[in-house]
Structure formats: C-alpha cells, structure tokens
C-alpha cells in the first residue's frame, strides 16, 4: 500500500514542477516583452546619442555637446526620468569639454559604482530612479569637495531658473537666492 501511495505522489509532484516551470516561462516572457516595449518607447523618445549614452553607457564627444559651455542658471535633470541631479551653482570649467560639477543637488539622487571598462578603474555615476548612465566621478575637482562629476550632456536636460516653477522644480529656486 505504501508503495502505491509513493508512486502516485511522485508523478503528481513532477506534474506540479512542470506546471510551475511553464508558468514561470510565461511570466518571464511577459517581463521581457514589457522591457522590450519600454526600450522601444525610450528609443523613440530619445535622440540616438541620448539613447546610446543613457542606456548603453556610451560617451559623447568632448567640446561637441549641448551643455559643456552652458553658463545659464538652472538645474540639470536626468533626460529619462526627470530626477534633479546637478545645479549650475556647482558647475565649473574643467577644461575637459564635458559639463562638470563639484557635487550633485542631492547625494541620494545618484548611484556611484566601480567601472573597470577600457582597462581603467573609475567611478561610474548613474541616476538612481532612471538608472541612466550619466558619466564618471574623479577626484581632481575644485575645493571644497575636490570632486569632479564629469557628465554627458546627452544624459541631461537643463531647466533654466526662470522655468523651474513652471516645470515643477520650484523647490530648487531657493538655492539661487542664497548668499
């Protein structure tokens, strides 16, 4: 009697494992389908260089990008998610041909991770919410931080000080009236 019970249970368990495996494949396909759809939509919204930089960790050419020589007051947000990243108050001339900042608006809005690409050891900077590749962090910046956040213009959208309220970033206006 025990032998028959075991024989009945084993096929049932195998059957259940098979059902869960098939169910998992369907769920996985749905996730991949959504990711593919999101990537396609993102690719249609961004320019080629914006997509390559933010999604494929590419780098735009120095001195041939939108914000390297921008001297207007405002903030820089992630081109993908709109999360606030840097302020013009912390932007400085680094001579590198890319926009450089001494610090982010809020440290928690960025993620720093080790990058070993191209035979170098660097710190990659990504946006926290959008997970966009922004650029790299170096320790040759001005005092008091000594940091240089060397960013790609293609990963940023500049919001002029006069448009901050209109675009929903009014809380950053106060920073321009300090001192």
């Amino acid at each position: 009697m025990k032998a028959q019970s075991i024989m009945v249970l084993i096929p049932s368990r195998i059957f259940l494992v098979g059902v869960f495996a098939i169910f998992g494949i369907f769920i996985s396909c749905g996730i991949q389908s959504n990711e593919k759809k999101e990537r396609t939509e993102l690719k249609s919204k961004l320019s080629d260089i914006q997509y390559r930089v933010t999604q494929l960790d590419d780098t735009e050419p120095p001195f041939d990008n939108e914000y390297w020589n921008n001297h207007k007051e405002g903030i820089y947000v992630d081109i993908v998610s709109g999360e606030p990243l840097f302020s013009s108050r912390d932007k400085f001339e680094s001579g590198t041909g890319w926009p450089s900042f001494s610090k982010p608006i809020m440290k928690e809005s960025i993620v720093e991770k080790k990058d070993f690409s191209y035979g170098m050891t660097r710190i990659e900077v990504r946006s926290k919410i959008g997970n966009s590749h922004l650029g790299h962090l170096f320790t040759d910046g001005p005092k008091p931080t000594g940091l240089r956040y060397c960013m790609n213009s293609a990963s940023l959208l500049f919001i002029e000080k006069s448009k901050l309220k209109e675009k929903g970033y009014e809380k950053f206006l106060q920073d321009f009236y300090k001192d």
Side-chain angles (χ1 to χ4, degrees):
M1 187 94 160
K2 287 184 181 179
Q4 287 177 334
S5 299
I6 291 172
M7 296 297 267
V8 170
L9 287 177
I10 291 173
S12 298
R13 286 189 180 155
I14 292 171
F15 173 76
L16 286 175
V17 169
V19 167
F20 286 126
I22 291 169
F23 184 69
I25 291 169
F26 286 129
I27 290 173
S28 175
C29 289
I31 290 170
Q32 288 175 359
S33 176
N34 285 340
E35 285 176 10
K36 187 175 180 181
K37 182 180 175 186
E38 287 172 13
R39 288 223 180 243
T40 302
E41 287 174 9
L42 194 55
K43 204 167 189 176
S44 70
K45 291 178 183 176
L46 300 175
S47 71
D48 181 53
I49 189 70
Q50 289 169 334
Y51 185 83
R52 287 194 338 259
V53 168
T54 61
Q55 305 303 301
L56 305 177
D57 306 341
D58 204 350
T59 301
E60 67 193 359
F63 304 103
D64 187 22
N65 57 75
E66 192 171 0
Y67 302 128
W68 78 272
N69 203 23
N70 182 21
H71 298 288
K72 296 175 184 173
E73 287 188 304
I75 66 169
Y76 296 81
V77 302
D78 179 358
I79 192 83
V80 173
S81 68
E83 62 197 292
L85 300 169
F86 299 97
S87 171
S88 63
R89 290 178 53 96
D90 302 310
K91 189 173 186 282
F92 67 94
E93 294 296 326
S94 65
T96 62
W98 290 285
S100 296
F101 304 89
S102 59
K103 64 180 184 178
I105 288 178
M106 298 176 298
K107 185 76 172 157
E108 57 273 4
S109 65
I110 61 164
V111 175
E112 298 171 7
K113 43 188 271 197
K114 291 206 181 218
D115 176 4
F116 300 103
S117 62
Y118 302 105
M120 298 181 274
T121 301
R122 301 178 290 175
I123 304 290
E124 178 190 15
V125 180
R126 301 188 76 83
S127 62
K128 185 170 186 174
I129 296 170
N131 193 30
S132 299
H133 170 73
L134 303 172
H136 290 89
L137 172 61
F138 301 96
T139 56
D140 60 357
K143 292 182 180 185
T145 67
L147 300 175
R148 174 171 56 97
Y149 288 84
C150 187
M151 303 294 100
N152 287 284
S153 292
S155 60
L156 304 172
L157 175 64
F158 179 70
I159 313 290
E160 284 191 54
K161 180 175 86 172
S162 64
K163 305 237 187 227
L164 288 175
K165 188 173 183 179
E166 172 189 329
K167 300 285 185 179
Y169 298 98
E170 61 271 359
K171 78 178 191 177
F172 298 102
L173 266 173
Q174 65 189 356
D175 296 339
F176 293 97
Y177 298 105
K178 289 180 179 177
D179 298 336

